[in-house]
Amino acid sequence: MTDPRRTEQVHPDHADLDRLSPLDLVGVLAADQLAAVRAVQAAAPALARAVEAALPRLARGGRLVYAGAGTSGRLGVLDATELTPTFSWPPERAVPLIAGGEAAIRRAVEGAEDDEEAGARDVRGVGTGPDDVLIAVAASGTTPYALGAVRAARAAGALSIALANNPGTPLLRAADCAVALDTGPEVISGSTRLKAGTAQKIALNTLSSALMVRLGKVYGNLMVDLRATNAKLEGRAVRLVQHATGAPEAEAYAALAAAGGHVKTAVVMLRLGLDVGAAQARLEAAGGHARAALGEVESGEREVGE
């Protein structure tokens, strides 16, 4: 019986994969990953629609809730975890759910992905509500756990976004925003940790980063919501402040120290000649958007929520 899901089909070009030299084998595996990039590029309009739909909810204080099983679930955990150090996104507003629970991050929990009710139960268990955004990820597009998560999220009034590597699958049909990442058969047949997983990682990075940019976590292309918490980040923060303000290193360092290591506040302090309290107040009035706080929003531009 032929499985209609392209991710489950045997790749037609590499029947002798196990006979290749190490160099040729690596070349084949690496080259096939290029299809992941093409799949995400083709999905750009769908990703943009998901960003637009999610922004008002997140601007009102909603959370990003991720749901998936196996590789897809682990990629959701990774994306959720990285938002805090990169964008100072509150960790309580990035909620990763993985079939089988935290134990499944390090080892497979057999059968967990087949439990649709567990997906629904996990979504309900974290109190998912109307301002939240669920991102469900499944290469097959048929994973019961992810389907249960989407259905529970929609029942709670949350926005549901689905990423899957097979077009027209039940997960994509069930969600408010469907993102098809059509990567096709894998070089190692059925191993969706390969280019299917790569496409998911790229799409998740793209989606969450676009959201953070539009929510004011970035000024120009500088990640100004970074908060320096170690030596490496301190150096990065100083360089970011210098780039944004043209201030000498000593002045950038002093402003950062006064701002508690928060790049965005230090930038507003130096650019406008304000103390830390006034800079924080100006940012708060601008909804956290550095460009607006600096008076650089041009006619026709709009902030999230307007």
Side-chain angles (χ1 to χ4, degrees):
M1 182 177 68
T2 302
D3 192 315
R5 295 172 296 182
R6 281 167 46 78
T7 55
E8 297 300 318
Q9 294 171 11
V10 176
H11 201 295
D13 297 338
H14 303 292
D16 293 324
L17 190 71
D18 58 345
R19 293 180 172 178
L20 297 180
S21 69
L23 180 58
D24 289 341
L25 177 58
V26 168
V28 165
L29 289 166
D32 198 54
Q33 295 282 344
L34 295 173
V37 178
R38 292 193 293 268
V40 177
Q41 289 174 325
L47 284 165
R49 288 191 293 270
V51 169
E52 290 283 358
L55 280 169
R57 297 174 190 247
L58 297 179
R60 292 194 296 265
R63 301 172 299 167
L64 287 166
V65 181
Y66 298 75
T71 296
S72 299
R74 294 181 194 104
L75 289 170
V77 171
L78 179 61
D79 200 70
T81 303
E82 289 178 340
L83 292 179
T84 298
T86 307
F87 300 109
S88 293
W89 186 252
E92 63 274 13
R93 293 183 65 192
V95 183
L97 304 174
I98 183 169
E102 289 191 9
I105 296 172
R106 288 283 298 153
R107 65 178 185 272
V109 178
E110 300 300 332
E113 70 175 56
D114 297 326
D115 192 340
E116 183 171 335
E117 177 51 33
R121 186 169 58 248
D122 285 352
V123 165
R124 292 192 297 265
V126 296
T128 302
D131 283 340
D132 292 332
V133 177
L134 176 82
I135 305 173
V137 190
S140 67
T142 59
T143 305
Y145 180 87
L147 279 164
V150 165
R151 288 166 180 160
R154 295 195 70 180
L159 177 74
S160 59
I161 300 169
L163 276 60
N165 297 88
N166 288 297
T169 43
L171 184 66
L172 296 178
R173 293 196 299 269
D176 298 302
C177 298
V179 180
L181 305 168
D182 189 3
T183 46
E186 297 286 1
V187 168
I188 300 175
S189 301
S191 181
T192 51
R193 64 179 289 271
L194 296 176
K195 68 173 176 284
T198 301
Q200 291 172 7
K201 174 72 167 101
I202 298 170
L204 286 169
N205 267 350
T206 300
L207 176 60
S208 61
S209 296
L211 287 168
M212 294 300 114
V213 171
R214 296 295 296 148
L215 288 167
K217 302 292 186 179
V218 173
Y219 172 54
N221 65 346
L222 307 179
M223 51 184 212
V224 290
D225 247 353
L226 169 74
R227 189 177 294 275
T229 55
N230 59 39
K232 179 188 76 173
L233 293 179
E234 279 187 10
R236 183 180 296 165
V238 169
R239 291 190 295 274
L240 288 168
V241 172
Q242 287 187 272
H243 186 89
T245 66
E249 182 178 351
E251 288 184 22
Y253 186 85
L256 273 169
H262 190 216
V263 171
K264 190 190 297 184
T265 303
V267 168
V268 174
M269 290 170 63
L270 289 171
R271 288 280 297 274
L272 299 181
L274 302 175
D275 62 26
V276 64
Q280 289 171 338
R282 193 171 181 100
L283 278 166
E284 185 175 352
H289 290 256
R291 195 173 294 281
L294 293 168
E296 297 176 352
V297 176
E298 298 177 1
S299 177
E301 286 187 276
R302 61 183 179 87
E303 303 297 344
V304 176
E306 292 184 352

